[in-house]
Amino acid sequence: MTRYPLRTPLAITAALAGPLLVALVLVPFRARVSSTNLALILVVVVVGVAALGNRLAGALAALSAAAWYDFFLTRPYQSFNITSSDEITTAIVLLAVGIVVSQLAAYARRLQVIVVTDADYLTRIHDTAQLAQTTTSADTVVDHVKQQLTELLHLRNCRFEYGSLLGHPARLEQDGSLIIGRKRWDVDRQGWPQGEVELRASGGGRFQGRFMLRPTPGARPSLQARLVAVTLADQAGVALDTAGPGPRE
């Protein structure tokens, strides 16, 4: 995820080093603490890594935990051989539980991000709707939506054309897809295309104008973000239909 560019390498490092360090800390206690409890401590480390990073990091942490549990905490020590059938079972369970729990932890973290993101989207829609209801100038709503679109879609800038349909720029459709000419452009895979992108604003069943989006190269706004952008543009279109644009020079 672009918001946390260092998360993945940090998580991978933690996945490889974390279980090793914890296993070394547990070495003085291995004679007094049961192997099951030692394994449970390593599971906690795996969960922590998965919560920090992603599924790959969680899986690596589970493998690392099982390996160092075998090497440091089971007899014969400093060897990857296990002679006790109970400890073999514990090692296998540690690996299996670590992988499963890490996947659940990573999934839970992903759901948390989605909830936060959805809340942000809803706030943008709500604030724009509230502004449209309280202001007497549709231009105020248009300016507000331009700022929202710039943040939401990671744009360089955004401008609005009243009632213009000149040229044939790329167009952001109501379903969040992007059309260039007659072909669809895969924003999720390819990012924004070069040049401006048109986002039309309609209200009262009539075309009111269009937002001209100038994307930041390399940005890949999600489908959900693009659908929210379409909703915001329509709110501006409704405001223009209701109040009309204010006086402009």
Side-chain angles (χ1 to χ4, degrees), residues 7-83:
R7 181 186 291 277
T8 297
L10 285 175
I12 297 299
T13 301
L16 297 175
L20 170 60
L21 295 176
V22 173
L24 288 172
V25 170
L26 293 175
V27 165
F29 308 98
R30 62 191 177 188
R32 301 192 300 274
V33 180
S34 69
S35 60
T36 301
N37 288 336
L38 294 173
L40 287 175
I41 294 173
L42 289 173
V43 168
V44 173
V45 178
V46 174
V47 173
V49 171
L52 170 68
N54 50 30
R55 287 177 171 82
L56 174 60
L60 288 176
L63 291 170
S64 177
W68 297 124
Y69 168 80
D70 178 5
F71 189 80
F72 287 112
L73 305 177
T74 64
R75 291 184 176 88
Y77 299 128
Q78 282 76 55
S79 169
F80 287 108
N81 294 322
I82 303 179
T83 57

Side-chain angles (χ1 to χ4, degrees), residues 193-208:
Q194 294 183 350
E196 288 187 316
V197 175
E198 173 187 86
L199 173 57
R200 298 180 179 181
S202 300
R206 295 187 298 274
F207 174 73
Q208 301 292 335

Side-chain angles (χ1 to χ4, degrees), residues 1 55 68 72 80 140 147 163 175 180 196 212 238 240:
M1 300 203 300
R55 287 177 171 82
W68 297 124
F72 287 112
F80 287 108
T140 302
Q147 180 181 354
D175 62 358
I180 300 180
E196 288 187 316
M212 299 303 296
V238 171
L240 286 166

Side-chain angles (χ1 to χ4, degrees), residues 26-231:
L26 293 175
V27 165
F29 308 98
R30 62 191 177 188
R32 301 192 300 274
V33 180
S34 69
S35 60
T36 301
N37 288 336
L38 294 173
L40 287 175
I41 294 173
L42 289 173
V43 168
V44 173
V45 178
V46 174
V47 173
V49 171
L52 170 68
N54 50 30
R55 287 177 171 82
L56 174 60
L60 288 176
L63 291 170
S64 177
W68 297 124
Y69 168 80
D70 178 5
F71 189 80
F72 287 112
L73 305 177
T74 64
R75 291 184 176 88
Y77 299 128
Q78 282 76 55
S79 169
F80 287 108
N81 294 322
I82 303 179
T83 57
S84 169
S85 59
D86 289 340
E87 290 181 345
I88 291 174
T89 301
T90 301
I92 294 173
V93 171
L94 167 61
L95 177 60
V97 171
I99 290 177
V100 171
V101 172
S102 72
Q103 305 312 295
L104 292 175
Y107 181 68
R109 185 180 60 79
R110 180 174 177 272
L111 285 180
Q112 183 182 26
V113 171
I114 292 175
V115 169
V116 172
T117 302
D118 286 348
D120 177 64
Y121 290 161
L122 289 173
T123 298
R124 292 179 188 273
I125 294 173
H126 175 268
D127 290 348
T128 303
Q130 188 174 44
L131 178 63
Q133 292 174 356
T134 57
T135 187
T136 57
S137 170
D139 285 343
T140 302
V141 179
V142 169
D143 290 339
H144 174 78
V145 170
K146 286 193 295 184
Q147 180 181 354
Q148 294 295 310
L149 294 176
T150 300
E151 297 173 358
L152 181 66
L153 301 177
H154 310 294
L155 306 175
R156 285 181 177 177
N157 56 62
C158 176
R159 60 188 178 87
F160 188 78
E161 295 181 350
Y162 292 87
S164 300
L165 273 177
L166 300 176
H168 301 282
R171 183 172 67 255
L172 185 59
E173 297 283 16
Q174 289 291 309
D175 62 358
S177 63
L178 190 67
I179 303 297
I180 300 180
R182 295 182 179 180
K183 296 182 179 180
R184 287 180 178 266
W185 178 274
D186 190 345
V187 179
D188 295 321
R189 185 171 62 87
Q190 298 174 274
W192 286 114
Q194 294 183 350
E196 288 187 316
V197 175
E198 173 187 86
L199 173 57
R200 298 180 179 181
S202 300
R206 295 187 298 274
F207 174 73
Q208 301 292 335
R210 62 183 181 179
F211 292 92
M212 299 303 296
L213 318 176
R214 183 171 293 278
T216 299
R220 291 179 172 84
S222 66
L223 174 60
Q224 192 173 17
R226 301 195 303 269
L227 290 171
V228 173
V230 170
T231 301

